[in-house]
Amino acid sequence: MEVFIKSGSPEKQRTACVVVGVFEPRRLSPAARDIDRATDGYLTKLLRRGDLEGRQGQFLMLHNLPNILPDRVLLVGMGKERDLDDKRYRETVEALVKHLDGTGSMEAVVYFPELHVKGREIEWKVRAATESGALALYRFDQYKSKAEKPRRPLRRLTFCVPRRSDLRDGQVAVDRGLAYANGVMEARDLANQPPNVATPAYLAERAGELAKEWNLGLTVLDEKQMEEEGMGAFLAVGKGSANPPRLMAMEYQGGVKGDKPYVLVGKGISFDSGGISIKPAAAMDEMKYDMCGAAGVFGIMRTIAELQLPINVVGVAAAAENLPDGQAYRPGDILTSMSGQTIEVINTDAEGRLVLADTLTWIQRYDPRVVIDMATLTGACLVALGKNAAGLMGNNDRLVRELMDAGDETGERGWQLPLWDDYQEQLKSNFADMKNVGGREAGTITAGCFLSKFTEDYEWAHVDIAGVAWKSGDDKSATGHPVRMISQYLVERAAG
């Protein structure tokens, strides 16, 4: 779908469909009032008859209205005007685009950016609408023998801004919104792949394709090279699988050569059975989503390359498959990490922190400005925060706050959890420098504490996306979280 920006009166648009809002109870938006005046009160009469109340989720398509150029006018219920916040605005745009796609409207001019959204300016409203509209059409059906496709799909969406002076900012917002959406879809496509396809080697191949497409540098470590680096914790996780682990680093240089890069690290467990500490069978198919952190890194790298941000960024994906066989690592094993610190394995289902530990040591060679890791790390995060926010921790409160602000801006919210030294006590081991789990209490926090032992030499933040990385049930699919959050953080850093 193509997205454009323009300004102008709704009644003068030569288009198949103009889209305007109606607030509850039966209150016309500014663009709807313009059409009402041009049609001698047609909309007012219609609303008086009770055809539309303006409740969120209502649609009414009107054909051949008098005295105006558009072929059709679509009235969209927006709910109460005072309740139009970020979430409702995004939801309404998403519902609108799905409705247009299903009704054969191949193009439309939408007057939502004129609406008042609490605390939001034109740029945000255009960007959010662009993202939501593009993502509303996302489908992952490449493995269906007969995929359902609309007969006349929506191909062109134009957002109208109130003034010509808004066009420049509006175009920037469209470009950014499309780049964010493309990054999210990249992450979703990778995470939705079946685990018999999306092995660590497959991720390395995709990294090569992305590097070629967007002119990125690329370093890939195989099993032998990881052994030479001393990555004993990382390698242990993949020992039970016939698909050997891979570490891949994609290097984007948009800033001055020699400037310290922002380094992103993603957990890429392509399938997590739990290993010897095997998981219950129910919903184990969803453990293909244990590589959503790595998928997020791929998506972010695509977004920043598309936006040509003037900064340096390295995106690192740590990929392994956690399966049980005669070679698999066991509870009770003691592993030596790349940092030299030793780890007593208590639970082989706490494998993500092991691959991240060695990766967070390995990336020190880049002399990073900051490091952000993202991982479906703990089920405890879902218990603590539900499906509405990622867990944020780090050794630098400013960095964590900036990520929280970026999450608020993009709708991919995060919430800070404490990383106090008190919690480190739970990781003490009788036989090694630390255990890989700290027990049931504060599971998300002790996982962050574990990672903190490998990040003392740089500013670091950890994003636990276990509760937000995918949806279950009838809508089962990866979400692409936190591509937009971290892309927004990088956009803001690039802007100075």
Side-chain angles (χ1 to χ4, degrees), residues 72-246:
R72 291 177 283 188
V73 174
L74 178 61
L75 304 183
V76 180
M78 308 297 298
K80 294 185 183 299
E81 189 168 10
R82 66 175 179 271
D83 294 335
L84 186 57
D85 57 10
D86 294 9
K87 186 172 183 289
R88 178 166 290 187
Y89 182 81
R90 288 180 179 277
E91 288 175 345
T92 303
V93 173
E94 182 178 353
L96 163 67
V97 169
K98 289 180 178 179
H99 183 81
L100 290 170
D101 194 51
T103 55
S105 301
M106 297 179 67
E107 56 105 7
V109 178
V110 182
Y111 280 79
F112 285 2
E114 69 173 6
L115 304 177
H116 175 72
V117 180
K118 298 175 184 177
R120 298 303 187 184
E121 302 297 331
I122 287 291
E123 188 275 339
W124 184 93
K125 288 183 281 189
V126 173
R127 175 171 56 78
T130 301
E131 291 170 27
S132 300
L135 292 174
L137 299 179
Y138 175 80
R139 295 180 181 88
F140 186 81
D141 54 14
Q142 66 188 75
Y143 293 98
K144 292 189 175 183
S145 57
K146 294 182 179 179
E148 295 182 8
K149 297 188 182 299
R151 186 175 63 86
R152 290 167 54 85
L154 181 63
R155 301 190 184 280
R156 178 187 177 107
L157 204 60
T158 301
F159 292 109
C160 235
V161 292
R163 300 171 296 275
R164 291 188 60 83
S165 58
D166 296 322
L167 288 173
R168 183 174 180 179
D169 287 344
Q171 186 59 57
V172 171
V174 166
D175 294 342
R176 190 171 295 169
L178 287 174
Y180 285 10
N182 288 336
V184 169
M185 289 188 281
E186 172 74 29
R188 288 181 180 179
D189 280 348
L190 277 175
N192 284 328
Q193 292 289 341
N196 60 316
V197 172
T199 63
Y202 174 92
L203 294 180
E205 290 173 9
R206 179 56 192 150
E209 294 169 355
L210 203 66
K212 184 176 181 180
E213 183 179 358
W214 296 100
N215 195 30
L216 308 176
L218 178 64
T219 300
V220 177
L221 299 189
D222 61 20
E223 212 171 4
K224 183 179 179 181
Q225 292 165 310
M226 293 164 72
E227 288 175 1
E228 292 171 354
E229 294 282 357
M231 304 176 82
F234 195 141
L235 287 167
V237 173
K239 283 174 65 177
S241 172
N243 295 304
R246 293 285 186 273

Side-chain angles (χ1 to χ4, degrees), residues 310-386:
I311 54 176
N312 297 332
V313 183
V314 178
V316 184
E321 188 173 46
N322 186 23
L323 293 176
D325 81 347
Q327 299 296 315
Y329 78 126
R330 298 151 292 224
D333 283 359
I334 293 180
L335 312 175
T336 301
S337 69
M338 184 179 174
S339 70
Q341 298 177 91
T342 57
I343 304 162
E344 180 187 7
V345 177
I346 303 299
N347 189 327
T348 64
D349 195 23
E351 83 299 325
R353 65 199 69 185
L354 299 178
V355 301
L356 290 175
D358 279 347
T359 306
L360 291 168
T361 301
W362 184 82
I363 54 95
Q364 290 185 37
R365 67 196 58 214
Y366 289 104
D367 189 19
R369 182 186 298 268
V370 298
V371 175
I372 303 168
D373 82 73
M374 57 209 81
T376 51
L377 204 63
T378 64
C381 194
L382 177 60
V383 175
L385 296 173

